[in-house]
């Protein structure tokens, strides 16, 4: 059996594998371990630290080792030699070094970062920020804000419940439909992945900007030719769980183990880049649309004839277009790439940030995604946008970044709407 096959076979038996790696490199290991302790520090029984590290796999074998040692994967594999972000404990970091894998610290202690964020959020000054977008909010506060927004502009807005979550929370959609002819239905949704908090704030902020009575002329024109659906939290159970229990939770909460909603759509369901293992972060569920949340999104997209779609995620600053499940070119791939190019320019013009453009599968295959389904089944122009940061502290984006991230995402959405009016290339 090749080493690679062995590594893959034993991937789930992580503890044993770490031990084997450690014993394979015992002498190197003790030198490294000594180097990692502060000079002269007495041995301590301190709790283990979970670090996010950026690693540069040079080949498939190193990538396989990384995946064995990772407690969690935060980002995707680009091309050989390009980095991925993973979470490791101390032993994992030592074993990475023992395997000769190049790595650098991204976040020294992800739990300390989450604790600091929690302390900030529960500090008295955070209770009633004057600017709602100066801080993040839990699902209850988001629901309240959506109600307020709808009440602010009842002439053009309704708050609709398009379905429910596994735990019975409502899937709330702001439906903004100002008078106008030839309107194009657009869906903006966020937080399929619970820990990607910025992906909830951005669609709400876009809706609020569009609804302002003194909105800029381009926003008023946008509203006049758009039938806009905004669903900022499509995974409310997972989202609320990141507030109550585990800041780094990704999936919904079905059955306690959760399902990755972005692997639960029916195009290429069950294919590469999804897992049948309930414990996996990319668990696809028992069948396409097994989850109430993805089924509700399907029904809305079909029922309302959604033609333009953005699925917001974080992080990485990427504009991803179909396919995400295969490297084979999607129909209309050139059109997608051309529109993404215009969106990236608009983003840069807004706030000077670069977002890279690529078909999703160039990063890594992901099967059963919403973007593939919305474009492949529902014929929508559908993009996945990975918002800020590029790296930084990963999912915990400082709150002063919410508004700038919203500005650039809004610019991208306006550009997408413009692009839909262009004649379709032959
Ligand atoms: O893996 C996902 O579902 C998305 N990335 S995330 O880090 N937010 O989890 C991206 C899916 C897009 N497709 C591919 N990169 N293939
Ligand atoms: Zn995501």
């Amino acid at each position: 059996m090749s080493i690679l096959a062995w590594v893959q076979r034993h991937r789930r038996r992580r503890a044993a594998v770490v031990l084997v790696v450690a014993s394979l490199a015992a002498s190197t290991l003790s030198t490294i371990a000594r180097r990692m302790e502060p000079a002269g520090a007495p041995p301590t029984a301190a709790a283990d630290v979970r670090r996010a590290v950026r690693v540069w796999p040079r080949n498939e074998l190193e990538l396989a080792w990384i995946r064995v040692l990772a407690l969690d994967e935060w980002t995707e594999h680009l091309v050989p030699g390009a980095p991925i972000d993973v979470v490791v404990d101390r032993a994992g970091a030592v074993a990475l070094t023992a395997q000769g894998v190049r790595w650098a610290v991204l976040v020294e202690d992800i739990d300390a970062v989450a604790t600091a964020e929690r302390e900030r959020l529960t500090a008295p000054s955070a209770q009633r920020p004057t600017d709602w977008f100066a801080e993040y909010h839990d699902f209850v506060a988001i629901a309240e804000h959506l109600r307020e927004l709808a009440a602010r502009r009842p002439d053009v807005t309704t708050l609709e419940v398009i379905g429910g979550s596994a735990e019975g929370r409502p899937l709330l959609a702001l439906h903004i439909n100002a008078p106008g002819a030839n309107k194009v239905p657009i869906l903006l949704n966020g937080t399929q992945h619970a820990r990607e908090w910025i992906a909830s704030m951005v669609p709400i902020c876009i809706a609020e900007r569009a609804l302002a009575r003194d909105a800029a002329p381009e926003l008023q024109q946008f509203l006049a030719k758009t039938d806009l659906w905004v669903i900022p939290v499509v995974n409310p159970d997972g989202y609320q769980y990141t507030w109550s229990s585990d800041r780094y939770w990704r999936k919904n909460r079905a059955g306690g183990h959760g399902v990755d909603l972005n692997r639960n759509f029916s195009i290429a369901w069950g294919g590469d880049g999804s897992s049948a293992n309930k414990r996996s972060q990319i668990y696809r569920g028992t069948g396409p649309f097994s989850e109430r949340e993805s089924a509700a999104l399907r029904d809305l997209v079909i029922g309302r004839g959604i033609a333009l779609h953005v699925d917001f995620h974080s992080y990485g600053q990427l504009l991803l277009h179909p396919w995400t499940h295969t490297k084979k070119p999607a129909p209309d791939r050139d059109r997608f790439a051309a529109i993404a190019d215009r969106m990236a320019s608009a983003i840069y013009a807004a706030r000077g940030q670069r977002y890279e453009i690529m078909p999703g599968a160039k990063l890594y295959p992901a099967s059963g995604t919403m973007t593939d389904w919305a474009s492949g089944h529902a014929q929508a122009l559908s993009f996945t946008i990975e918002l800020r940061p590029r790296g930084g502290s990963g999912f915990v984006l400082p709150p002063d970044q919410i508004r700038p991230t919203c500005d650039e995402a809004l610019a991208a959405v306006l550009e997408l709407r413009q692009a839909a009016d262009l004649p379709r290339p032959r």
Side-chain angles (χ1 to χ4, degrees), residues 179-414:
N182 304 323
K183 304 190 80 183
V184 174
I186 302 189
L187 169 62
L188 308 177
N189 67 264
T191 342
Q192 286 204 71
H193 295 141
R195 60 196 178 185
E196 299 165 9
W197 286 7
I198 185 64
S200 293
M201 297 302 285
V202 157
I204 303 170
C205 171
I206 291 175
E208 184 149 335
R209 293 275 298 274
L211 284 173
R213 289 198 185 268
D214 60 350
E218 72 265 23
L219 276 164
Q220 294 185 20
Q221 282 157 23
F222 169 75
L223 271 200
K225 51 185 198 162
T226 303
D227 178 14
L228 181 61
W229 291 84
V230 177
I231 313 179
V233 189
V234 300
N235 173 13
D237 299 346
Y239 184 73
Q240 203 53 17
Y241 193 70
T242 61
W243 281 74
S244 65
S245 306
D246 177 358
R247 176 64 181 83
Y248 297 103
W249 186 261
R250 169 181 166 96
K251 300 180 279 184
N252 75 358
R253 292 288 304 153
H257 50 74
V259 171
D260 184 349
L261 296 175
N262 209 26
R263 301 293 183 275
N264 192 238
F265 288 76
S266 62
I267 293 265
W269 181 86
D272 286 352
S274 71
S275 171
N277 175 5
K278 288 181 180 166
R279 289 169 50 196
S280 165
Q281 290 282 41
I282 50 173
Y283 175 52
R284 56 190 173 232
T286 52
F289 301 113
S290 57
E291 303 312 295
R292 290 187 75 194
E293 298 88 342
S294 45
L297 289 168
R298 172 197 62 198
D299 295 346
L300 178 91
V301 169
I302 299 291
R304 301 294 179 156
I306 297 297
L308 305 176
H309 171 232
V310 180
D311 181 18
F312 287 106
H313 288 252
S314 73
Y315 57 93
Q317 299 189 192
L318 301 163
L319 276 169
L320 304 174
H321 55 87
W323 297 122
T324 68
H325 72 279
T326 172
K327 286 190 176 154
K328 288 188 191 139
D332 273 353
R333 176 181 166 144
D334 293 346
R335 184 175 188 216
F336 273 104
I339 295 173
D341 202 52
R342 298 169 67 115
M343 290 163 76
S345 300
I347 286 172
Y348 185 75
R351 283 289 187 162
Q353 289 293 314
R354 297 212 182 274
Y355 280 51
E356 266 193 71
I357 302 164
M358 67 195 73
K362 186 174 171 192
L363 286 173
Y364 64 101
S367 298
T369 64
M370 186 172 184
T371 280
D372 275 5
W373 177 82
S375 63
H377 184 90
Q379 275 74 54
L381 276 171
S382 174
F383 293 84
T384 298
I385 301 189
E386 300 277 359
L387 297 162
R388 295 188 192 192
R390 197 185 290 285
S393 41
F395 303 109
V396 181
L397 181 70
D400 62 1
Q401 301 278 304
I402 297 171
R403 283 240 178 237
T405 310
C406 169
D407 290 346
E408 63 210 21
L410 172 61
V413 169
L414 294 179

